[in-house]
Amino acid sequence: MTPPTPPETATPLCDQLRRAGHWNPLWDPFYQLDPAWTERFIAMGMMPMRSGVLDAKTIEFIAIAVDASCTHLYAPGVRRHIRQALALGATPAEITAVLQCVSVLGIHTMSVGAPILLEELAALEAAQPATPA
């Protein structure tokens, strides 16, 4: 089934990202379904970058961290933002530090899972009938 064609909507930020080569093709389906919502989504995501509060290199560091995080793992974004950070004067050591910082997100797999495993093992042991000595 072909999705309905939404009414014509102005999407200047989406169009700008496409022209600049920063459009994520994974956004195409929801753009096709609702271009106005997608434009608002993009506007929300770009607000910190457009506000001028953070310098461009810091924004690239944050973008690297988000794209490289274990919950995102978007390699094309990591590559694009590393390239841009280098162009803005970032050093390999700075980018490595960003990647090292974000790598600790994965430790939560163990910090959540290990205590539950220990609890379940204790419950299993407690439920077993005692063996005579």
Side-chain angles (χ1 to χ4, degrees), residues 11-33:
T11 56
L13 291 175
C14 293
D15 299 341
Q16 176 186 350
L17 288 176
R18 287 180 197 275
R19 282 190 304 273
H22 299 302
W23 182 257
N24 181 340
L26 297 175
W27 299 336
D28 286 336
F30 52 86
Y31 180 87
Q32 290 170 355
L33 291 169

Side-chain angles (χ1 to χ4, degrees), residues 18-19 24 37 41 46 59 67 73 76 89 98 108 116-117 126:
R18 287 180 197 275
R19 282 190 304 273
N24 181 340
W37 180 88
F41 164 76
M46 290 182 66
I59 289 171
D67 282 345
L73 296 174
V98 169
H108 294 298
I116 292 171
L117 174 60

Side-chain angles (χ1 to χ4, degrees), residues 65-118:
V66 168
D67 282 345
S69 72
C70 62
T71 58
H72 201 63
L73 296 174
Y74 183 59
V78 174
R79 181 176 308 282
R80 182 174 69 242
H81 294 297
I82 285 176
R83 190 175 292 136
Q84 186 62 28
L86 290 168
L88 291 167
T91 66
E94 288 174 316
I95 295 170
T96 299
V98 169
L99 294 170
Q100 290 167 339
C101 286
V102 76
S103 72
V104 300
L105 286 175
I107 194 63
H108 294 298
T109 301
M110 287 302 287
S111 64
V112 168
I116 292 171
L117 174 60
L118 292 173

